[in-house]
Amino acid sequence: MGLGQILAKRVGYGLVLLIAVLILNFTLITVAPGDVADSIAGDMGGADATVMAEIRERYGLDKPFLLQLWAYVSKVAFLDLGYSYFYNTPVTTLILEKLPATLLLVFSSQILAITVGTLLGVMAARKPNGFVSMCVTFLSLFGFAAPVFWSGILLIIAFVSIFPIFPVGGMSSAIMEGGFFARAVDIAYHLFLPMVTLASIYLALYSRLTRASMLEVLGSDYVRTARAKGLAENKVFYKHALKNSLGPLVTVAGLQFSAVMSGAVVVEAVFNWPGLGTLALQSILARDTPTIMGILFFSSFVVIIVNIVTDIVLRLIDPRIRSS
Amino acid sequence: MQRLIKTFVATATAAALLASAPMAQEPKRGGTLTMAIQQTPRHLNPAVQSGTATGQPGTQLFASLLRYDEGWDPQPYLAESWEVAEDGLSVTINLVQGATFHDGVPITSEDVAFSIETVKANHPFKSMFEPVIAVETPDENTAILKLSKPHPALLLAMSSQLLSIIPKHIYGDGQDPKSHPANSENVVGSGPFKLVEFVRDQHVILERYEGYFEKGLPYLDRIVMRIIPDASTRTIALESGELMLSGFEENPRNLVRLKKNEDLNVSDVGYAAIGPVNWLAFNTQAESEVSDPIVRKAIAHAVDREFILNALMLGTAGPALTGIHPGSPFYDASVEPYDLDLDKANKMLDDAGYAMGADGTRFGLTVDYGWPTMKPFAEYMKPQLKKIGIDVTVRSSADFPTWAKRISNWEFDMTMDNVFNWGDPVIGVHRTYSSDNIKAGVIWSNTQQYANARVDELMAEAGSTNDPEKRKALYAEFQKIIADELPLYPLWPSPYHTVSNKSVGNAPDSVWGTSSPLDKVYLK
């Protein structure tokens, strides 16, 4: 199959998946007891009966479920994600406002996890029974076993409360003097703890994976050949072995993307990071159906895209997939 | 001799200066105050949105006609003076001279009339301005409110976040004020601070309005309100000095911890007008035994309020014996308190014919709670009521709307609940007991389905007289009947505290807490 064909097939699957995500989630949210009128009233310390009835009528919550579903799906078909009941703002605006923060968190933590994870994995693979290897195994087990919210809180206690090095939360200082560079430094300063927290799980995963995959590759014939022809050990390691053991890493990193997105929700809540996760949490609690739906729609979309990109990257780095 | 006198005078002056220094510190102008709010506001216009998330920035952006001090005394604000007519059917308001909106347009009586109409038509608390039938504007600085009956809640309803004076030339453009774009962006307010930036889930930044009508105020250059929903995060930020002020703090464990910090002032002054009361509510029309007043009284005798106050609230709150907040002038502490008495409770149930079964239970009831902080109190009911033979099932709800739906459709026996007084009983108390406010699907209406003709009568009377002594007597009888029939068992007021860094002067102490203008706050 050519690249074009595969791409077409993937995009087709993606569309079907998106529609399924829409219908399933809309049903789930509508079936849940309570509605946005309850949450708005809760927020306001109560509301008069006429006000509640007005809110329900205004957002069509008094209409039958199938009508509501139809109204929503037909709007989304024209790429209109609707209007947030709770924030009084178009959902697309809300999502675009929050998306950069989440993407920054997700990508920076993935880059950290992949580079450091690979490095540790390679170091461990050089001496599989050595001290470094044991440390890496221990660290990765710990990182994998500790829930993110817990390790996040531990980091806050350590580096905000006991040793006040980092800010307590948020994405940037509210009042900033200085230009682009100063702002970037400020955001990086706020990003550090949440990024490390989110990276910790995946760092564990990737280092284990690299170690296992390196050990496997190091035992193969062509590595023996390379060594036999007198190639320097470093060259054998990084040029031949590492390159070939990256395949599984890319696959897993791509597949894990959806998990990272959901991990980000928790990390955002712990660190008060103003991203999609915080918005998702708030809008679920507020029963703000259009916003929840918009976020789910958007995240499904991003996950599908990343999966397609992973496929393509895999074909680029591994000729065997290309030919099969 | 001359020299001696000189020295003496100098010493005396120095001593006097030293003695008076900590007492009369001159407020200083300038500086940025960083404070926390706990939630992202839906928008910033309190005229069409209730709740403290909007109220805290909203009362900086918009001035009201009156303001209240910590002793429930109305003070002039945008209204320089006001006069309630002898018959209580009209109120004349004289505005201060020279007040302007943030765009420089003068604030006139037209704006006052427009604001009252907008609030009356859009605010969730309909009872605030219901009796106001017309607002006359004989000249630019005078507004006369015409009432259908005397309305004792009116003055409170003209303060803090309940009546924001909004510009007619902005909001009167025909758009729906509830979703008006100027509610969150380019806000043109009338208060001491104007909006610089509102970023959802991050912060609201305000800066001094140079044309503010109170001369020399506000002291602060800027207020940064950071939106931090997590109580522990706020605690750490207060400790580290990243935050200088936070209102509405109520988590007992955090309060105890913050009180130990020498850099912080932790004050419980204020908030009486917010008036949050926690209680165990009963569904008086339930199919279960809880519809019997004797059962409710037995439960009240079995619940140990002291245990709740000391062990669960860690001593941060006092008791609330009635549904009116203990800080209110109408609170009557002489009602039956239902002190802990398990023997009496058991005997009451025995006498009423609820026989104890062989397994030590008489009957089963459910208790609900709507949000996580209420969980320990609901759970406490289970072992405690077991002691009088009631088998309690604690029902949790996934989130607030789930709980609200259950309770507002009367699908419950008992629930932990927290309801705000919102100033005058007419606004926040009557709704809980009035028999014509039993409305399906409306949370914090009369969800107890309680009906008593005498109670309705007392509320109607107390709601239409301006005589405070008469009202006090009426509310005393009202509280006595409620305590006797127990549609709900009041337990404690939420211990709202204002936590401020010692560098903050004039920390807010009004009955509205931090939902009041911070124009007199300064940094030492």
Short mmCIF file of all heavy atoms in Angstrom, two decimals, chain B residues 123-163:
data_model
loop_
_atom_site.label_atom_id
_atom_site.label_comp_id
_atom_site.label_asym_id
_atom_site.label_seq_id
_atom_site.Cartn_x
_atom_site.Cartn_y
_atom_site.Cartn_z
N HIS B 123 -31.33 39.74 38.17
CA HIS B 123 -30.62 39.12 39.29
C HIS B 123 -31.38 37.89 39.79
O HIS B 123 -32.60 37.89 39.79
CB HIS B 123 -30.43 40.14 40.41
CG HIS B 123 -29.35 39.76 41.38
ND1 HIS B 123 -29.55 38.84 42.37
CD2 HIS B 123 -28.06 40.16 41.50
CE1 HIS B 123 -28.43 38.70 43.06
NE2 HIS B 123 -27.50 39.49 42.54
N PRO B 124 -30.64 36.84 40.21
CA PRO B 124 -31.32 35.64 40.68
C PRO B 124 -32.14 35.83 41.96
O PRO B 124 -33.01 35.02 42.25
CB PRO B 124 -30.19 34.65 40.91
CG PRO B 124 -28.95 35.47 41.02
CD PRO B 124 -29.19 36.65 40.13
N PHE B 125 -31.85 36.88 42.74
CA PHE B 125 -32.64 37.10 43.96
C PHE B 125 -33.75 38.11 43.68
O PHE B 125 -33.57 39.32 43.82
CB PHE B 125 -31.74 37.62 45.09
CG PHE B 125 -30.59 36.72 45.43
CD1 PHE B 125 -29.48 37.20 46.08
CD2 PHE B 125 -30.63 35.37 45.10
CE1 PHE B 125 -28.41 36.37 46.40
CE2 PHE B 125 -29.57 34.52 45.41
CZ PHE B 125 -28.47 35.03 46.05
N LYS B 126 -34.90 37.58 43.32
CA LYS B 126 -36.01 38.45 42.92
C LYS B 126 -36.55 39.30 44.06
O LYS B 126 -37.12 40.36 43.85
CB LYS B 126 -37.16 37.58 42.37
CG LYS B 126 -36.82 36.91 41.05
CD LYS B 126 -37.01 37.87 39.89
CE LYS B 126 -36.53 37.24 38.60
NZ LYS B 126 -35.57 38.07 37.87
N SER B 127 -36.37 38.82 45.31
CA SER B 127 -37.00 39.52 46.42
C SER B 127 -36.31 40.85 46.75
O SER B 127 -36.87 41.68 47.45
CB SER B 127 -37.00 38.62 47.67
OG SER B 127 -35.69 38.19 47.94
N MET B 128 -35.09 41.06 46.20
CA MET B 128 -34.34 42.27 46.58
C MET B 128 -35.06 43.56 46.22
O MET B 128 -35.14 44.48 47.00
CB MET B 128 -32.96 42.26 45.93
CG MET B 128 -32.03 41.25 46.51
SD MET B 128 -30.31 41.54 46.05
CE MET B 128 -30.38 41.64 44.29
N PHE B 129 -35.55 43.63 44.97
CA PHE B 129 -36.17 44.88 44.51
C PHE B 129 -37.62 44.69 44.06
O PHE B 129 -38.16 45.54 43.37
CB PHE B 129 -35.32 45.51 43.40
CG PHE B 129 -33.98 45.96 43.87
CD1 PHE B 129 -32.85 45.19 43.63
CD2 PHE B 129 -33.84 47.13 44.61
CE1 PHE B 129 -31.61 45.60 44.10
CE2 PHE B 129 -32.61 47.53 45.08
CZ PHE B 129 -31.49 46.77 44.83
N GLU B 130 -38.20 43.56 44.44
CA GLU B 130 -39.57 43.28 44.03
C GLU B 130 -40.55 44.40 44.38
O GLU B 130 -41.35 44.81 43.54
CB GLU B 130 -40.04 41.96 44.64
CG GLU B 130 -41.14 41.30 43.86
CD GLU B 130 -41.21 39.82 44.16
OE1 GLU B 130 -41.08 39.46 45.35
OE2 GLU B 130 -41.39 39.04 43.22
N PRO B 131 -40.49 44.95 45.60
CA PRO B 131 -41.46 46.01 45.94
C PRO B 131 -41.17 47.35 45.26
O PRO B 131 -41.97 48.26 45.39
CB PRO B 131 -41.32 46.15 47.46
CG PRO B 131 -40.56 44.95 47.92
CD PRO B 131 -39.69 44.57 46.77
N VAL B 132 -40.06 47.49 44.58
CA VAL B 132 -39.76 48.77 43.92
C VAL B 132 -40.59 48.87 42.64
O VAL B 132 -40.38 48.12 41.69
CB VAL B 132 -38.25 48.88 43.58
CG1 VAL B 132 -37.98 50.20 42.86
CG2 VAL B 132 -37.41 48.77 44.84
N ILE B 133 -41.57 49.78 42.62
CA ILE B 133 -42.43 49.86 41.44
C ILE B 133 -41.96 50.91 40.45
O ILE B 133 -42.23 50.82 39.27
CB ILE B 133 -43.92 50.10 41.82
CG1 ILE B 133 -44.03 51.10 42.97
CG2 ILE B 133 -44.58 48.79 42.20
CD1 ILE B 133 -45.44 51.41 43.39
N ALA B 134 -41.23 51.92 40.94
CA ALA B 134 -40.75 52.93 40.01
C ALA B 134 -39.56 53.67 40.62
O ALA B 134 -39.41 53.71 41.84
CB ALA B 134 -41.86 53.94 39.71
N VAL B 135 -38.69 54.17 39.74
CA VAL B 135 -37.60 55.01 40.21
C VAL B 135 -37.72 56.35 39.50
O VAL B 135 -37.63 56.43 38.27
CB VAL B 135 -36.22 54.38 39.91
CG1 VAL B 135 -35.11 55.25 40.47
CG2 VAL B 135 -36.13 52.97 40.47
N GLU B 136 -38.00 57.40 40.27
CA GLU B 136 -38.14 58.72 39.68
C GLU B 136 -36.82 59.46 39.74
O GLU B 136 -36.05 59.29 40.68
CB GLU B 136 -39.22 59.51 40.42
CG GLU B 136 -40.62 58.98 40.15
CD GLU B 136 -41.66 59.59 41.08
OE1 GLU B 136 -41.29 60.50 41.87
OE2 GLU B 136 -42.80 59.14 41.02
N THR B 137 -36.57 60.28 38.71
CA THR B 137 -35.31 61.01 38.66
C THR B 137 -35.59 62.49 38.44
O THR B 137 -35.45 63.00 37.32
CB THR B 137 -34.41 60.48 37.53
OG1 THR B 137 -35.19 60.45 36.33
CG2 THR B 137 -33.92 59.09 37.81
N PRO B 138 -35.99 63.20 39.52
CA PRO B 138 -36.33 64.62 39.38
C PRO B 138 -35.14 65.46 38.90
O PRO B 138 -35.33 66.42 38.17
CB PRO B 138 -36.76 65.04 40.79
CG PRO B 138 -36.26 63.98 41.70
CD PRO B 138 -36.16 62.72 40.90
N ASP B 139 -33.92 65.14 39.32
CA ASP B 139 -32.76 65.83 38.74
C ASP B 139 -31.59 64.87 38.67
O ASP B 139 -31.69 63.72 39.11
CB ASP B 139 -32.42 67.10 39.53
CG ASP B 139 -31.95 66.78 40.93
OD1 ASP B 139 -30.92 66.09 41.07
OD2 ASP B 139 -32.63 67.20 41.90
N GLU B 140 -30.48 65.35 38.15
CA GLU B 140 -29.33 64.49 37.89
C GLU B 140 -28.80 63.77 39.12
O GLU B 140 -28.20 62.71 39.01
CB GLU B 140 -28.19 65.31 37.27
CG GLU B 140 -28.38 65.58 35.81
CD GLU B 140 -27.05 65.80 35.11
OE1 GLU B 140 -26.08 66.15 35.82
OE2 GLU B 140 -27.01 65.62 33.89
N ASN B 141 -28.97 64.42 40.28
CA ASN B 141 -28.36 63.85 41.48
C ASN B 141 -29.36 63.26 42.46
O ASN B 141 -28.99 62.89 43.57
CB ASN B 141 -27.52 64.91 42.18
CG ASN B 141 -26.20 65.12 41.48
OD1 ASN B 141 -25.44 64.18 41.31
ND2 ASN B 141 -25.97 66.34 41.02
N THR B 142 -30.62 63.21 42.08
CA THR B 142 -31.62 62.68 43.00
C THR B 142 -32.40 61.54 42.36
O THR B 142 -32.86 61.65 41.22
CB THR B 142 -32.62 63.80 43.40
OG1 THR B 142 -31.88 64.98 43.71
CG2 THR B 142 -33.45 63.37 44.59
N ALA B 143 -32.51 60.46 43.08
CA ALA B 143 -33.36 59.34 42.64
C ALA B 143 -34.34 59.04 43.75
O ALA B 143 -33.97 59.01 44.92
CB ALA B 143 -32.51 58.13 42.33
N ILE B 144 -35.62 58.85 43.38
CA ILE B 144 -36.63 58.51 44.37
C ILE B 144 -37.21 57.15 44.04
O ILE B 144 -37.78 56.95 42.96
CB ILE B 144 -37.75 59.57 44.42
CG1 ILE B 144 -37.14 60.95 44.70
CG2 ILE B 144 -38.76 59.22 45.51
CD1 ILE B 144 -38.11 62.10 44.55
N LEU B 145 -37.02 56.19 44.95
CA LEU B 145 -37.55 54.85 44.75
C LEU B 145 -38.95 54.80 45.32
O LEU B 145 -39.18 55.14 46.48
CB LEU B 145 -36.68 53.81 45.47
CG LEU B 145 -35.39 53.37 44.79
CD1 LEU B 145 -34.40 54.51 44.67
CD2 LEU B 145 -34.78 52.21 45.53
N LYS B 146 -39.91 54.40 44.49
CA LYS B 146 -41.30 54.26 44.94
C LYS B 146 -41.55 52.78 45.23
O LYS B 146 -41.23 51.91 44.40
CB LYS B 146 -42.26 54.73 43.86
CG LYS B 146 -42.13 56.21 43.56
CD LYS B 146 -42.82 57.02 44.64
CE LYS B 146 -42.71 58.51 44.37
NZ LYS B 146 -43.09 59.31 45.54
N LEU B 147 -42.13 52.52 46.40
CA LEU B 147 -42.32 51.13 46.81
C LEU B 147 -43.79 50.78 46.95
O LEU B 147 -44.60 51.63 47.28
CB LEU B 147 -41.62 50.89 48.15
CG LEU B 147 -40.14 51.26 48.22
CD1 LEU B 147 -39.62 51.14 49.65
CD2 LEU B 147 -39.33 50.37 47.30
N SER B 148 -44.11 49.50 46.72
CA SER B 148 -45.49 49.06 46.88
C SER B 148 -45.80 48.80 48.35
O SER B 148 -46.94 48.78 48.77
CB SER B 148 -45.74 47.80 46.06
OG SER B 148 -44.86 46.79 46.47
N LYS B 149 -44.77 48.55 49.13
CA LYS B 149 -44.93 48.33 50.58
C LYS B 149 -43.58 48.64 51.22
O LYS B 149 -42.56 48.65 50.52
CB LYS B 149 -45.33 46.88 50.86
CG LYS B 149 -44.33 45.88 50.29
CD LYS B 149 -44.58 44.46 50.77
CE LYS B 149 -43.39 43.60 50.37
NZ LYS B 149 -43.26 42.31 50.77
N PRO B 150 -43.56 48.91 52.53
CA PRO B 150 -42.25 49.13 53.17
C PRO B 150 -41.36 47.92 52.94
O PRO B 150 -41.84 46.78 52.99
CB PRO B 150 -42.60 49.29 54.65
CG PRO B 150 -44.04 49.70 54.67
CD PRO B 150 -44.67 49.03 53.48
N HIS B 151 -40.09 48.14 52.65
CA HIS B 151 -39.21 47.03 52.27
C HIS B 151 -37.92 47.12 53.09
O HIS B 151 -36.97 47.79 52.70
CB HIS B 151 -38.92 47.13 50.77
CG HIS B 151 -38.12 46.00 50.23
ND1 HIS B 151 -38.32 44.69 50.59
CD2 HIS B 151 -37.10 45.99 49.33
CE1 HIS B 151 -37.46 43.92 49.94
NE2 HIS B 151 -36.71 44.68 49.17
N PRO B 152 -37.89 46.43 54.25
CA PRO B 152 -36.75 46.60 55.17
C PRO B 152 -35.42 46.12 54.61
O PRO B 152 -34.38 46.53 55.08
CB PRO B 152 -37.17 45.76 56.38
CG PRO B 152 -38.16 44.78 55.85
CD PRO B 152 -38.89 45.49 54.77
N ALA B 153 -35.45 45.25 53.58
CA ALA B 153 -34.18 44.73 53.04
C ALA B 153 -33.54 45.71 52.08
O ALA B 153 -32.43 45.48 51.61
CB ALA B 153 -34.42 43.39 52.36
N LEU B 154 -34.25 46.81 51.78
CA LEU B 154 -33.81 47.67 50.68
C LEU B 154 -32.41 48.26 50.88
O LEU B 154 -31.59 48.24 49.97
CB LEU B 154 -34.83 48.80 50.46
CG LEU B 154 -34.56 49.65 49.22
CD1 LEU B 154 -34.66 48.80 47.97
CD2 LEU B 154 -35.52 50.82 49.13
N LEU B 155 -32.13 48.76 52.10
CA LEU B 155 -30.83 49.42 52.30
C LEU B 155 -29.69 48.42 52.10
O LEU B 155 -28.69 48.73 51.45
CB LEU B 155 -30.77 50.07 53.67
CG LEU B 155 -31.66 51.30 53.87
CD1 LEU B 155 -31.35 51.97 55.20
CD2 LEU B 155 -31.51 52.30 52.73
N LEU B 156 -29.84 47.20 52.66
CA LEU B 156 -28.79 46.20 52.45
C LEU B 156 -28.69 45.83 50.98
O LEU B 156 -27.59 45.60 50.45
CB LEU B 156 -29.10 44.94 53.27
CG LEU B 156 -28.37 44.84 54.61
CD1 LEU B 156 -29.02 43.80 55.49
CD2 LEU B 156 -26.90 44.52 54.42
N ALA B 157 -29.84 45.77 50.32
CA ALA B 157 -29.85 45.41 48.91
C ALA B 157 -29.22 46.49 48.04
O ALA B 157 -28.99 46.29 46.85
CB ALA B 157 -31.26 45.10 48.44
N MET B 158 -28.97 47.67 48.63
CA MET B 158 -28.32 48.73 47.85
C MET B 158 -26.82 48.76 48.12
O MET B 158 -26.13 49.69 47.74
CB MET B 158 -28.93 50.09 48.21
CG MET B 158 -30.38 50.19 47.77
SD MET B 158 -31.04 51.87 47.69
CE MET B 158 -30.79 52.48 49.30
N SER B 159 -26.28 47.72 48.80
CA SER B 159 -24.86 47.75 49.15
C SER B 159 -24.09 46.62 48.48
O SER B 159 -24.68 45.70 47.91
CB SER B 159 -24.70 47.63 50.67
OG SER B 159 -24.98 46.33 51.10
N SER B 160 -22.77 46.74 48.57
CA SER B 160 -21.85 45.71 48.09
C SER B 160 -22.23 45.21 46.71
O SER B 160 -22.55 45.98 45.83
CB SER B 160 -21.82 44.57 49.12
OG SER B 160 -21.03 43.51 48.67
N GLN B 161 -22.24 43.89 46.52
CA GLN B 161 -22.41 43.36 45.19
C GLN B 161 -23.88 43.23 44.79
O GLN B 161 -24.18 42.79 43.69
CB GLN B 161 -21.76 41.99 45.08
CG GLN B 161 -22.38 40.94 45.99
CD GLN B 161 -21.62 39.63 45.90
OE1 GLN B 161 -20.63 39.41 46.58
NE2 GLN B 161 -22.06 38.76 45.02
N LEU B 162 -24.81 43.58 45.68
CA LEU B 162 -26.21 43.38 45.35
C LEU B 162 -26.75 44.47 44.43
O LEU B 162 -27.70 44.24 43.70
CB LEU B 162 -27.06 43.31 46.64
CG LEU B 162 -26.69 42.17 47.58
CD1 LEU B 162 -27.63 42.12 48.78
CD2 LEU B 162 -26.69 40.82 46.87
N LEU B 163 -26.18 45.66 44.49
CA LEU B 163 -26.63 46.69 43.55
C LEU B 163 -25.42 47.44 42.99
O LEU B 163 -24.97 48.45 43.54
CB LEU B 163 -27.60 47.69 44.21
CG LEU B 163 -28.05 48.82 43.27
CD1 LEU B 163 -28.78 48.27 42.07
CD2 LEU B 163 -28.92 49.83 44.00
#
